[in-house]
Amino acid sequence: MNTDRLSKTIAAALNAQMTKEAQASQIYLSYAAWAESQGFGGVANFLFRHAQEERNHMMKILEYILKRGAKVQVTAIPAPPENPTSIKICFEKIFEHEVDNTNAVYKLVKMSLTEEDWATWNFMQWFVKEQVEEETLAMNLLDKLKITDSEKLNGNALYVLDRDLETTPDEVTSAQEVTADNP
Ligand code: OFO
């Protein structure tokens, strides 16, 4: 008896997204190692933690594919891009990467809508919300650079920024959770 509850196209797209999350983890890992080697221990700590988060995303998709009775295909992970050459470029690349992943998530949502696969549509809503948070997190990194005036970033400003990121929470408050008392 066939108990596979995913169409071939959805299963292939989910497997591709699983690899994309693994690749995201590798990118954060690679950038974290670069930041550490440049002496930015706080930035590195933040990025190492995020590498783990992306791996968790990969696992969520893997589990979902299994639970729907389809086949998980673990493939090679594309290599991360070249290391950034500055903290500013590092944060810009992170933002670009998150937007790219959001687009991939949206494609899957659209695909599940077209196929009327409501289970996958529902599952993917978690990722839609997560991507809003991750884009916000990346925007916050860029905002911190704006405040310190990235063009003239001096050692002191970078030191403070690095120390700050050591303890920056990994989660951001989503707009849905905001109240007038607690913006
Ligand atoms: Fe998996 O959330 Fe970022 O990319």
Side-chain angles (χ1 to χ4, degrees), residues 17 20-21 24 28 50 53-54 57-58 97-98 101-102 127 130-131 134:
Q17 187 61 30
K20 204 165 170 60
E21 300 291 343
Y28 278 103
H50 208 86
E53 242 191 69
E54 296 294 353
H57 298 170
M58 177 203 74
H97 157 74
E98 287 302 340
N101 202 22
T102 300
F127 284 86
E130 182 67 14
Q131 282 309 123
E134 305 234 311

Side-chain angles (χ1 to χ4, degrees), residues 89-116:
I89 293 175
C90 177
F91 290 176
E92 284 172 352
K93 293 257 167 253
I94 286 172
F95 179 70
E96 281 169 16
H97 157 74
E98 287 302 340
V99 171
D100 176 62
N101 202 22
T102 300
N103 292 336
V105 165
Y106 286 177
K107 270 195 197 141
L108 248 160
V109 172
K110 196 170 176 196
M111 198 182 277
S112 53
L113 181 82
T114 309
E115 290 200 17
E116 299 188 4

Side-chain angles (χ1 to χ4, degrees), residues 49-153:
R49 281 184 274 137
H50 208 86
Q52 275 306 93
E53 242 191 69
E54 296 294 353
R55 222 177 141 73
N56 289 341
H57 298 170
M58 177 203 74
M59 281 304 297
K60 279 184 201 301
I61 299 175
L62 183 147
E63 277 297 332
Y64 178 74
I65 298 170
L66 287 178
K67 284 194 163 49
R68 299 303 287 155
K71 190 161 179 267
V72 166
Q73 273 166 327
V74 176
T75 62
I77 305 169
E82 294 279 293
N83 280 335
T85 47
S86 69
I87 290 292
K88 183 169 181 269
I89 293 175
C90 177
F91 290 176
E92 284 172 352
K93 293 257 167 253
I94 286 172
F95 179 70
E96 281 169 16
H97 157 74
E98 287 302 340
V99 171
D100 176 62
N101 202 22
T102 300
N103 292 336
V105 165
Y106 286 177
K107 270 195 197 141
L108 248 160
V109 172
K110 196 170 176 196
M111 198 182 277
S112 53
L113 181 82
T114 309
E115 290 200 17
E116 299 188 4
D117 177 348
W118 305 123
T120 300
W121 185 88
N122 182 258
F123 172 71
M124 289 309 298
Q125 294 310 304
W126 185 90
F127 284 86
V128 171
K129 183 166 176 279
E130 182 67 14
Q131 282 309 123
V132 174
E133 289 177 17
E134 305 234 311
E135 285 185 10
T136 307
L137 209 57
M139 282 177 208
N140 289 348
L141 292 178
L142 289 168
D143 283 348
K144 280 182 201 289
L145 280 186
K146 265 189 231 149
I147 294 168
T148 53
D149 189 357
S150 60
E151 295 313 317
K152 303 186 207 116
L153 265 188

